Amino acid sequence: MEWARAVAAAFGLGEVLEPWTPVTGGASHLVWRLRTTRGDWAVKRVNRSWEAWWTREHEVAAAIQLEAWNLGVPMPRPVHPLRPSAPLLADVRVDGEVGSFLAHEWCEGTAPTSPTPELLDWVGATLAVLHELPAGPRPDARPHAVEEWREWLDGVPGDFADRVRSFLPDIAAAEEVVDEAARDPRLTPVRTHRDVKPDNVLLTSAAPLLVDWDGAGADFAEWELTRTALAFDGTAEGFTRVVRAYERAGGRPPGPDPVFLAGVLHARLGGAAYMVWRALGHRPVTPPERAAAHGHALELLSALRVALPNLERWARLLAR
């Protein structure tokens, strides 16, 4: 209860009524439902780094989240802390330990279990609205070179490191595709959510909401669109439906070129690299989080291997 009370005080949420309840599903951060005299709230303890780069990236993500809220993107209302350590972020101290927290209004709902036509239409239309945010600089989309992966694994014994090493040829091939595609002038820079997937959509009684904004940043519109369409429905019909809904809502659809799908590889490379760092102890995580990172890393690398030979096939769907 001590942490719950400290977080409630930091955000001005009212008096805590009962112990907070853990929310399952997050791979990177711990989330709780907090009930107070002022309502129900979702609070997230951010697995942060205290390095300057992390603060810079957080400031970008917070700015995009607030702009999206003001633009009317369907999402829970973010809560500003009373004394922020950075935009939307509160550093809370209990018994000498400091935790960094975000909070937003609790919205009752569930994650989608199937890609209904209505949901796919909502996804495409929501991305089109998101891409109306003022564009920033062209993102630096260069992935970590395969040589860096070898350095991370150098001298590391065990089955996990060996299994990651078995993916090095796939990593090298994906790196080459992404590096070339990222320089293509046809890609449209945007500032956006960057992680629109079923896990980050909440189906409420009123409408779907887009949650989990702390990874927002610079991306290419075409990469986010195609990556998201595949995340929600990998069938030809579902993929095409998201793209057509995006176009009807004012978005510019990409042409039938694998360049516009390289963001799938980029996301899986980046996510796998982060999980490998966690699994190898290069990030300050709890023992359960470190253990879970082994599975997450291998899942992402397996998905990368599946995606590599499918870019051409997925690109042909964009000709429909």
Side-chain angles (χ1 to χ4, degrees):
M1 285 285 283
E2 195 169 358
W3 276 104
R5 292 191 186 100
V7 171
F11 285 89
L13 303 180
E15 297 297 319
V16 176
L17 297 177
E18 59 188 48
W20 59 13
T21 306
V23 178
T24 60
S28 301
H29 311 282
L30 299 175
V31 181
W32 295 267
R33 180 177 184 172
L34 178 61
R35 304 193 68 186
T36 73
T37 52
R38 292 190 53 203
D40 286 14
W41 315 92
V43 295
K44 175 185 291 188
R45 182 164 182 169
V46 180
N47 183 30
R48 67 169 297 174
S49 167
W50 293 95
E51 298 166 280
W53 66 264
W54 189 95
T55 302
R56 289 194 298 270
E57 290 189 1
H58 168 78
E59 289 171 347
V60 170
I64 291 171
Q65 180 178 358
L66 292 172
E67 288 177 36
W69 170 258
N70 291 332
L71 188 63
V73 173
M75 58 192 290
R77 177 175 65 86
V79 180
H80 294 267
L82 301 181
R83 290 179 293 278
S85 57
L88 296 178
L89 190 74
D91 289 336
V92 179
R93 183 183 296 273
V94 172
D95 294 333
E97 181 184 353
V98 177
S100 298
F101 288 84
L102 300 168
H104 64 72
E105 192 172 37
W106 179 267
C107 297
E108 197 66 51
T110 59
T113 57
S114 61
T116 64
E118 295 78 14
L119 177 62
L120 298 179
D121 289 344
W122 177 88
V123 169
T126 299
L127 286 176
V129 174
L130 261 176
H131 294 168
E132 293 176 8
L133 291 174
R138 191 176 181 87
D140 180 2
R142 292 171 297 177
H144 292 284
V146 69
E147 289 78 12
E148 295 180 72
W149 286 77
R150 292 194 178 96
E151 289 176 7
W152 304 336
L153 299 166
D154 187 33
V156 178
D159 178 66
F160 172 72
D162 289 342
R163 292 183 67 185
V164 174
R165 289 187 187 98
S166 74
F167 286 101
L168 289 177
D170 306 283
I171 292 167
E175 175 206 341
E176 183 177 353
V177 172
V178 171
D179 192 52
E180 181 178 355
R183 296 193 296 268
D184 195 296
R186 292 173 294 170
L187 292 173
T188 309
V190 290
R191 295 161 62 252
T192 186
H193 185 282
R194 296 201 301 188
D195 197 20
V196 183
K197 58 183 182 179
D199 290 351
N200 288 334
V201 171
L202 189 67
L203 300 178
T204 73
S205 58
L209 301 177
L210 185 56
V211 302
D212 199 7
W213 287 79
D214 39 287
D219 202 347
F220 294 113
E222 296 83 2
W223 282 13
E224 183 171 51
L225 171 62
T226 54
R227 187 176 66 237
T228 299
L230 288 169
F232 277 85
D233 192 336
T235 68
E237 294 75 14
F239 178 90
T240 303
R241 188 170 190 117
V242 173
V243 174
R244 295 296 168 257
Y246 179 80
E247 184 177 10
R248 287 196 304 272
R252 186 179 67 182
D257 191 316
V259 162
F260 298 125
L261 286 134
V264 176
L265 305 182
H266 181 263
R268 291 172 184 173
L269 281 170
Y274 183 68
M275 287 300 167
V276 167
W277 298 337
R278 289 166 68 101
L280 296 179
H282 298 168
R283 288 293 180 272
V285 295
T286 65
E289 289 171 333
R290 181 173 179 179
H294 289 74
H296 292 312
L298 295 173
E299 287 170 10
L300 286 162
L301 289 171
S302 296
L304 177 73
R305 178 174 285 172
V306 169
L308 265 167
N310 280 303
L311 291 193
E312 292 281 355
R313 178 174 66 84
W314 292 334
R316 287 195 292 272
L317 297 178
L318 295 171
R320 293 190 171 195

